[in-house]
Short mmCIF file of all heavy atoms in Angstrom, two decimals:
data_model
loop_
_atom_site.label_atom_id
_atom_site.label_comp_id
_atom_site.label_asym_id
_atom_site.label_seq_id
_atom_site.Cartn_x
_atom_site.Cartn_y
_atom_site.Cartn_z
N GLY C 387 2.61 -9.88 8.67
CA GLY C 387 2.93 -10.61 7.44
C GLY C 387 2.78 -9.72 6.21
O GLY C 387 3.63 -9.73 5.31
N PHE C 388 1.71 -8.91 6.19
CA PHE C 388 1.50 -8.04 5.03
C PHE C 388 2.58 -6.96 4.96
O PHE C 388 3.02 -6.57 3.88
CB PHE C 388 0.09 -7.42 5.07
CG PHE C 388 -0.95 -8.28 4.38
CD1 PHE C 388 -0.86 -9.67 4.44
CD2 PHE C 388 -2.00 -7.71 3.66
CE1 PHE C 388 -1.80 -10.48 3.79
CE2 PHE C 388 -2.93 -8.51 3.00
CZ PHE C 388 -2.84 -9.89 3.08
N ALA C 389 3.01 -6.46 6.11
CA ALA C 389 4.09 -5.45 6.11
C ALA C 389 5.37 -6.08 5.57
O ALA C 389 6.10 -5.45 4.79
CB ALA C 389 4.30 -4.92 7.53
N LEU C 390 5.63 -7.33 5.94
CA LEU C 390 6.83 -8.02 5.42
C LEU C 390 6.74 -8.18 3.90
O LEU C 390 7.72 -7.96 3.19
CB LEU C 390 6.94 -9.41 6.07
CG LEU C 390 7.43 -9.42 7.51
CD1 LEU C 390 7.09 -10.74 8.18
CD2 LEU C 390 8.94 -9.19 7.56
N ALA C 391 5.55 -8.54 3.41
CA ALA C 391 5.37 -8.75 1.97
C ALA C 391 5.61 -7.44 1.22
O ALA C 391 6.31 -7.39 0.21
CB ALA C 391 3.97 -9.28 1.70
N GLU C 392 5.03 -6.35 1.76
CA GLU C 392 5.17 -5.04 1.10
C GLU C 392 6.65 -4.62 1.06
O GLU C 392 7.17 -4.21 0.02
CB GLU C 392 4.33 -3.99 1.83
CG GLU C 392 4.49 -2.62 1.23
CD GLU C 392 3.69 -1.54 1.96
OE1 GLU C 392 2.67 -1.86 2.61
OE2 GLU C 392 4.08 -0.37 1.86
N GLN C 393 7.32 -4.75 2.20
CA GLN C 393 8.72 -4.32 2.27
C GLN C 393 9.60 -5.19 1.36
O GLN C 393 10.52 -4.69 0.72
CB GLN C 393 9.24 -4.40 3.71
CG GLN C 393 8.57 -3.43 4.66
CD GLN C 393 8.89 -1.98 4.33
OE1 GLN C 393 9.95 -1.67 3.83
NE2 GLN C 393 7.95 -1.09 4.60
N ALA C 394 9.31 -6.49 1.32
CA ALA C 394 10.11 -7.38 0.47
C ALA C 394 9.91 -7.02 -0.99
O ALA C 394 10.86 -6.99 -1.77
CB ALA C 394 9.74 -8.84 0.73
N ALA C 395 8.66 -6.71 -1.38
CA ALA C 395 8.38 -6.34 -2.77
C ALA C 395 9.10 -5.05 -3.11
O ALA C 395 9.66 -4.89 -4.19
CB ALA C 395 6.88 -6.21 -2.98
N ARG C 396 9.11 -4.11 -2.17
CA ARG C 396 9.79 -2.84 -2.42
C ARG C 396 11.30 -3.00 -2.56
O ARG C 396 11.96 -2.14 -3.11
CB ARG C 396 9.50 -1.86 -1.30
CG ARG C 396 8.09 -1.35 -1.38
CD ARG C 396 7.89 -0.31 -0.34
NE ARG C 396 6.56 0.25 -0.45
CZ ARG C 396 6.27 1.49 -0.19
NH1 ARG C 396 7.20 2.31 0.19
NH2 ARG C 396 5.05 1.92 -0.30
N ARG C 397 11.82 -4.07 -2.00
CA ARG C 397 13.27 -4.32 -2.13
C ARG C 397 13.58 -5.21 -3.32
O ARG C 397 14.65 -5.76 -3.41
CB ARG C 397 13.79 -4.98 -0.86
CG ARG C 397 13.78 -4.04 0.31
CD ARG C 397 14.08 -4.80 1.59
NE ARG C 397 14.03 -3.90 2.71
CZ ARG C 397 14.92 -3.90 3.69
NH1 ARG C 397 15.92 -4.73 3.67
NH2 ARG C 397 14.81 -3.05 4.69
N GLY C 398 12.61 -5.38 -4.16
CA GLY C 398 12.88 -6.06 -5.43
C GLY C 398 12.58 -7.54 -5.46
O GLY C 398 12.84 -8.20 -6.46
N ALA C 399 12.05 -8.11 -4.35
CA ALA C 399 11.77 -9.56 -4.35
C ALA C 399 10.49 -9.86 -5.12
O ALA C 399 9.63 -8.99 -5.25
CB ALA C 399 11.63 -10.05 -2.91
N ALA C 400 10.39 -11.09 -5.62
CA ALA C 400 9.12 -11.58 -6.17
C ALA C 400 8.39 -12.23 -4.99
O ALA C 400 8.90 -13.19 -4.41
CB ALA C 400 9.39 -12.59 -7.26
N VAL C 401 7.25 -11.66 -4.60
CA VAL C 401 6.65 -12.06 -3.32
C VAL C 401 5.31 -12.77 -3.53
O VAL C 401 4.47 -12.33 -4.30
CB VAL C 401 6.42 -10.82 -2.42
CG1 VAL C 401 5.85 -11.23 -1.06
CG2 VAL C 401 7.72 -10.04 -2.24
N THR C 402 5.15 -13.88 -2.81
CA THR C 402 3.85 -14.57 -2.75
C THR C 402 3.42 -14.61 -1.30
O THR C 402 4.24 -14.92 -0.42
CB THR C 402 3.97 -16.02 -3.29
OG1 THR C 402 4.45 -15.95 -4.63
CG2 THR C 402 2.62 -16.72 -3.28
N VAL C 403 2.16 -14.29 -1.06
CA VAL C 403 1.64 -14.35 0.31
C VAL C 403 0.55 -15.41 0.37
O VAL C 403 -0.35 -15.44 -0.46
CB VAL C 403 1.00 -13.00 0.72
CG1 VAL C 403 0.40 -13.09 2.12
CG2 VAL C 403 2.03 -11.88 0.68
N VAL C 404 0.67 -16.30 1.36
CA VAL C 404 -0.44 -17.21 1.66
C VAL C 404 -1.20 -16.53 2.80
O VAL C 404 -0.68 -16.41 3.91
CB VAL C 404 0.08 -18.61 2.06
CG1 VAL C 404 -1.07 -19.51 2.46
CG2 VAL C 404 0.86 -19.23 0.89
N ALA C 405 -2.37 -16.02 2.48
CA ALA C 405 -3.11 -15.17 3.42
C ALA C 405 -4.27 -15.92 4.04
O ALA C 405 -5.16 -16.39 3.33
CB ALA C 405 -3.61 -13.92 2.70
N ALA C 406 -4.24 -16.05 5.36
CA ALA C 406 -5.31 -16.75 6.07
C ALA C 406 -6.24 -15.72 6.71
O ALA C 406 -5.88 -15.12 7.72
CB ALA C 406 -4.73 -17.68 7.13
N ASN C 407 -7.36 -15.47 6.08
CA ASN C 407 -8.41 -14.62 6.65
C ASN C 407 -7.92 -13.21 6.98
O ASN C 407 -8.10 -12.73 8.10
CB ASN C 407 -8.98 -15.29 7.91
CG ASN C 407 -9.32 -16.77 7.65
OD1 ASN C 407 -10.17 -17.07 6.84
ND2 ASN C 407 -8.61 -17.67 8.30
N VAL C 408 -7.30 -12.58 6.04
CA VAL C 408 -6.75 -11.23 6.27
C VAL C 408 -7.63 -10.19 5.59
O VAL C 408 -7.81 -10.22 4.38
CB VAL C 408 -5.30 -11.12 5.73
CG1 VAL C 408 -4.74 -9.74 6.03
CG2 VAL C 408 -4.42 -12.20 6.36
N ALA C 409 -8.17 -9.26 6.39
CA ALA C 409 -9.05 -8.21 5.85
C ALA C 409 -8.27 -6.92 5.67
O ALA C 409 -8.64 -5.88 6.18
CB ALA C 409 -10.23 -8.00 6.80
N LEU C 410 -7.15 -6.99 4.98
CA LEU C 410 -6.32 -5.79 4.77
C LEU C 410 -6.13 -5.59 3.27
O LEU C 410 -6.23 -6.55 2.50
CB LEU C 410 -4.94 -5.99 5.41
CG LEU C 410 -4.89 -6.06 6.93
CD1 LEU C 410 -3.49 -6.46 7.39
CD2 LEU C 410 -5.26 -4.72 7.55
N PRO C 411 -5.82 -4.34 2.84
CA PRO C 411 -5.60 -4.12 1.42
C PRO C 411 -4.42 -4.91 0.89
O PRO C 411 -3.45 -5.16 1.62
CB PRO C 411 -5.31 -2.62 1.32
CG PRO C 411 -5.59 -2.05 2.64
CD PRO C 411 -5.64 -3.14 3.64
N ARG C 412 -4.52 -5.33 -0.36
CA ARG C 412 -3.45 -6.08 -1.02
C ARG C 412 -2.47 -5.11 -1.65
O ARG C 412 -2.88 -4.07 -2.18
CB ARG C 412 -4.04 -6.99 -2.10
CG ARG C 412 -4.46 -8.39 -1.64
CD ARG C 412 -5.33 -8.41 -0.43
NE ARG C 412 -5.69 -9.77 -0.01
CZ ARG C 412 -6.15 -10.07 1.19
NH1 ARG C 412 -6.28 -9.15 2.12
NH2 ARG C 412 -6.48 -11.31 1.48
N PHE C 413 -1.18 -5.43 -1.62
CA PHE C 413 -0.15 -4.55 -2.18
C PHE C 413 0.04 -4.89 -3.66
O PHE C 413 0.21 -6.07 -4.01
CB PHE C 413 1.16 -4.74 -1.41
CG PHE C 413 2.21 -3.73 -1.75
CD1 PHE C 413 2.05 -2.40 -1.37
CD2 PHE C 413 3.35 -4.09 -2.46
CE1 PHE C 413 3.02 -1.46 -1.69
CE2 PHE C 413 4.31 -3.15 -2.78
CZ PHE C 413 4.14 -1.83 -2.40
N PRO C 414 0.01 -3.87 -4.54
CA PRO C 414 0.15 -4.15 -5.96
C PRO C 414 1.47 -4.86 -6.26
O PRO C 414 2.49 -4.53 -5.68
CB PRO C 414 0.15 -2.76 -6.62
CG PRO C 414 -0.31 -1.82 -5.58
CD PRO C 414 -0.09 -2.43 -4.24
N GLY C 415 1.41 -5.83 -7.14
CA GLY C 415 2.64 -6.52 -7.54
C GLY C 415 2.95 -7.76 -6.71
O GLY C 415 3.83 -8.53 -7.06
N VAL C 416 2.24 -7.94 -5.59
CA VAL C 416 2.45 -9.13 -4.75
C VAL C 416 1.37 -10.16 -5.13
O VAL C 416 0.23 -9.79 -5.38
CB VAL C 416 2.33 -8.75 -3.25
CG1 VAL C 416 2.24 -9.98 -2.37
CG2 VAL C 416 3.52 -7.89 -2.85
N GLY C 417 1.74 -11.45 -5.17
CA GLY C 417 0.75 -12.50 -5.46
C GLY C 417 0.14 -13.01 -4.16
O GLY C 417 0.85 -13.17 -3.17
N TYR C 418 -1.16 -13.25 -4.17
CA TYR C 418 -1.83 -13.70 -2.94
C TYR C 418 -2.56 -15.02 -3.18
O TYR C 418 -3.19 -15.21 -4.21
CB TYR C 418 -2.86 -12.66 -2.46
CG TYR C 418 -2.20 -11.39 -2.00
CD1 TYR C 418 -1.93 -10.37 -2.90
CD2 TYR C 418 -1.81 -11.22 -0.68
CE1 TYR C 418 -1.30 -9.20 -2.51
CE2 TYR C 418 -1.18 -10.05 -0.27
CZ TYR C 418 -0.93 -9.05 -1.18
OH TYR C 418 -0.29 -7.91 -0.78
N ARG C 419 -2.43 -15.94 -2.21
CA ARG C 419 -3.24 -17.16 -2.22
C ARG C 419 -4.07 -17.14 -0.96
O ARG C 419 -3.53 -17.06 0.14
CB ARG C 419 -2.34 -18.40 -2.26
CG ARG C 419 -1.54 -18.49 -3.53
CD ARG C 419 -0.83 -19.79 -3.66
NE ARG C 419 -1.75 -20.92 -3.62
CZ ARG C 419 -1.40 -22.16 -4.01
NH1 ARG C 419 -0.19 -22.38 -4.47
NH2 ARG C 419 -2.26 -23.16 -3.93
N GLU C 420 -5.38 -17.21 -1.12
CA GLU C 420 -6.28 -17.08 0.03
C GLU C 420 -6.58 -18.46 0.61
O GLU C 420 -6.94 -19.38 -0.12
CB GLU C 420 -7.59 -16.41 -0.40
CG GLU C 420 -7.42 -15.10 -1.15
CD GLU C 420 -6.86 -13.96 -0.28
OE1 GLU C 420 -7.04 -14.01 0.95
OE2 GLU C 420 -6.23 -13.05 -0.87
N VAL C 421 -6.41 -18.60 1.93
CA VAL C 421 -6.72 -19.87 2.59
C VAL C 421 -7.51 -19.58 3.86
O VAL C 421 -7.56 -18.44 4.33
CB VAL C 421 -5.43 -20.65 2.96
CG1 VAL C 421 -4.65 -21.03 1.71
CG2 VAL C 421 -4.55 -19.85 3.92
N GLU C 422 -8.15 -20.63 4.41
CA GLU C 422 -8.87 -20.45 5.68
C GLU C 422 -8.29 -21.31 6.79
O GLU C 422 -8.01 -20.84 7.87
CB GLU C 422 -10.35 -20.79 5.48
CG GLU C 422 -11.10 -19.66 4.82
CD GLU C 422 -12.60 -19.86 4.82
OE1 GLU C 422 -13.13 -20.53 5.73
OE2 GLU C 422 -13.21 -19.35 3.88
N THR C 423 -8.12 -22.59 6.52
CA THR C 423 -7.72 -23.51 7.60
C THR C 423 -6.22 -23.80 7.59
O THR C 423 -5.53 -23.50 6.61
CB THR C 423 -8.46 -24.86 7.42
OG1 THR C 423 -8.02 -25.42 6.17
CG2 THR C 423 -9.97 -24.68 7.39
N ALA C 424 -5.77 -24.44 8.67
CA ALA C 424 -4.35 -24.82 8.75
C ALA C 424 -4.01 -25.81 7.63
O ALA C 424 -2.93 -25.75 7.05
CB ALA C 424 -4.07 -25.46 10.12
N ALA C 425 -4.96 -26.70 7.32
CA ALA C 425 -4.69 -27.69 6.26
C ALA C 425 -4.54 -26.98 4.92
O ALA C 425 -3.65 -27.32 4.14
CB ALA C 425 -5.83 -28.70 6.22
N GLU C 426 -5.41 -25.99 4.66
CA GLU C 426 -5.29 -25.26 3.38
C GLU C 426 -3.99 -24.46 3.34
O GLU C 426 -3.33 -24.37 2.32
CB GLU C 426 -6.49 -24.31 3.20
CG GLU C 426 -7.78 -25.03 2.90
CD GLU C 426 -9.00 -24.12 2.98
OE1 GLU C 426 -8.84 -22.87 3.08
OE2 GLU C 426 -10.12 -24.64 2.97
N LEU C 427 -3.65 -23.86 4.49
CA LEU C 427 -2.40 -23.08 4.54
C LEU C 427 -1.21 -24.01 4.29
O LEU C 427 -0.30 -23.68 3.53
CB LEU C 427 -2.27 -22.38 5.89
CG LEU C 427 -1.02 -21.51 6.04
CD1 LEU C 427 -1.35 -20.20 6.76
CD2 LEU C 427 0.09 -22.23 6.79
N ALA C 428 -1.25 -25.19 4.91
CA ALA C 428 -0.15 -26.15 4.72
C ALA C 428 -0.04 -26.53 3.25
O ALA C 428 1.07 -26.52 2.69
CB ALA C 428 -0.41 -27.39 5.58
N ALA C 429 -1.18 -26.81 2.60
CA ALA C 429 -1.14 -27.26 1.21
C ALA C 429 -0.58 -26.15 0.31
O ALA C 429 0.30 -26.40 -0.52
CB ALA C 429 -2.54 -27.65 0.76
N ALA C 430 -1.07 -24.90 0.49
CA ALA C 430 -0.62 -23.80 -0.37
C ALA C 430 0.86 -23.50 -0.13
O ALA C 430 1.63 -23.28 -1.07
CB ALA C 430 -1.46 -22.55 -0.11
N THR C 431 1.28 -23.52 1.14
CA THR C 431 2.67 -23.19 1.47
C THR C 431 3.61 -24.27 0.96
O THR C 431 4.68 -23.98 0.43
CB THR C 431 2.81 -22.98 3.00
OG1 THR C 431 1.78 -22.11 3.43
CG2 THR C 431 4.14 -22.36 3.36
N GLU C 432 3.19 -25.53 1.12
CA GLU C 432 4.03 -26.63 0.62
C GLU C 432 4.21 -26.54 -0.89
O GLU C 432 5.29 -26.79 -1.41
CB GLU C 432 3.42 -27.99 1.02
CG GLU C 432 3.77 -28.37 2.45
CD GLU C 432 2.81 -29.37 3.07
OE1 GLU C 432 2.07 -30.04 2.32
OE2 GLU C 432 2.79 -29.46 4.32
N GLU C 433 3.13 -26.15 -1.58
CA GLU C 433 3.21 -26.02 -3.04
C GLU C 433 4.20 -24.94 -3.46
O GLU C 433 4.92 -25.07 -4.43
CB GLU C 433 1.82 -25.63 -3.55
CG GLU C 433 1.29 -26.51 -4.65
CD GLU C 433 -0.11 -26.08 -4.98
OE1 GLU C 433 -0.27 -25.14 -5.80
OE2 GLU C 433 -1.04 -26.65 -4.38
N GLU C 434 4.24 -23.85 -2.71
CA GLU C 434 5.08 -22.71 -3.07
C GLU C 434 6.51 -22.83 -2.57
O GLU C 434 7.41 -22.15 -3.05
CB GLU C 434 4.49 -21.40 -2.49
CG GLU C 434 3.09 -21.04 -2.96
CD GLU C 434 3.08 -20.52 -4.40
OE1 GLU C 434 4.14 -20.08 -4.89
OE2 GLU C 434 2.02 -20.57 -5.03
N PHE C 435 6.69 -23.69 -1.55
CA PHE C 435 7.96 -23.67 -0.80
C PHE C 435 9.19 -24.00 -1.65
O PHE C 435 10.21 -23.31 -1.54
CB PHE C 435 7.86 -24.64 0.38
CG PHE C 435 9.10 -24.69 1.22
CD1 PHE C 435 9.52 -23.57 1.93
CD2 PHE C 435 9.87 -25.84 1.29
CE1 PHE C 435 10.67 -23.59 2.70
CE2 PHE C 435 11.02 -25.88 2.07
CZ PHE C 435 11.42 -24.76 2.77
N ALA C 436 9.08 -25.01 -2.50
CA ALA C 436 10.28 -25.48 -3.21
C ALA C 436 10.92 -24.35 -4.02
O ALA C 436 12.14 -24.27 -4.12
CB ALA C 436 9.92 -26.64 -4.12
N ARG C 437 10.09 -23.44 -4.59
CA ARG C 437 10.72 -22.42 -5.44
C ARG C 437 11.06 -21.13 -4.68
O ARG C 437 11.56 -20.19 -5.27
CB ARG C 437 9.91 -22.10 -6.69
CG ARG C 437 8.47 -21.99 -6.55
CD ARG C 437 7.80 -21.55 -7.87
NE ARG C 437 6.41 -21.31 -7.58
CZ ARG C 437 5.47 -22.23 -7.73
NH1 ARG C 437 5.75 -23.41 -8.20
NH2 ARG C 437 4.22 -21.94 -7.40
N CYS C 438 10.80 -21.09 -3.38
CA CYS C 438 11.12 -19.84 -2.67
C CYS C 438 12.55 -19.87 -2.12
O CYS C 438 13.11 -20.93 -1.87
CB CYS C 438 10.11 -19.54 -1.56
SG CYS C 438 10.45 -20.37 -0.02
N ASP C 439 13.13 -18.69 -1.99
CA ASP C 439 14.47 -18.57 -1.40
C ASP C 439 14.36 -18.20 0.08
O ASP C 439 15.23 -18.52 0.87
CB ASP C 439 15.26 -17.47 -2.12
CG ASP C 439 15.39 -17.77 -3.60
OD1 ASP C 439 16.05 -18.74 -3.94
OD2 ASP C 439 14.79 -17.03 -4.40
N VAL C 440 13.28 -17.49 0.40
CA VAL C 440 13.09 -17.04 1.78
C VAL C 440 11.65 -17.34 2.19
O VAL C 440 10.72 -17.01 1.46
CB VAL C 440 13.33 -15.51 1.90
CG1 VAL C 440 13.06 -15.02 3.32
CG2 VAL C 440 14.76 -15.15 1.48
N LEU C 441 11.48 -17.98 3.34
CA LEU C 441 10.13 -18.21 3.87
C LEU C 441 9.98 -17.40 5.16
O LEU C 441 10.79 -17.54 6.09
CB LEU C 441 9.91 -19.70 4.18
CG LEU C 441 8.64 -20.02 4.97
CD1 LEU C 441 7.37 -19.74 4.16
CD2 LEU C 441 8.63 -21.48 5.45
N LEU C 442 8.97 -16.55 5.20
CA LEU C 442 8.68 -15.77 6.41
C LEU C 442 7.35 -16.27 6.94
O LEU C 442 6.28 -15.95 6.40
CB LEU C 442 8.62 -14.27 6.06
CG LEU C 442 9.87 -13.72 5.36
CD1 LEU C 442 9.63 -12.31 4.85
CD2 LEU C 442 11.07 -13.75 6.31
#
Side-chain angles (χ1 to χ4, degrees):
F388 271 35
L390 285 162
E392 177 181 335
Q393 294 293 330
R396 287 185 177 214
R397 290 170 182 223
V401 183
T402 301
V403 177
V404 176
N407 312 297
V408 182
L410 293 172
R412 271 50 181 162
F413 189 70
V416 168
Y418 293 88
R419 295 189 58 164
E420 308 292 335
V421 297
E422 281 189 29
T423 63
E426 288 169 11
L427 182 139
T431 311
E432 278 158 18
E433 232 176 85
E434 299 286 340
F435 180 65
R437 41 176 188 267
C438 83
D439 301 294
V440 177
L441 170 67
L442 305 171

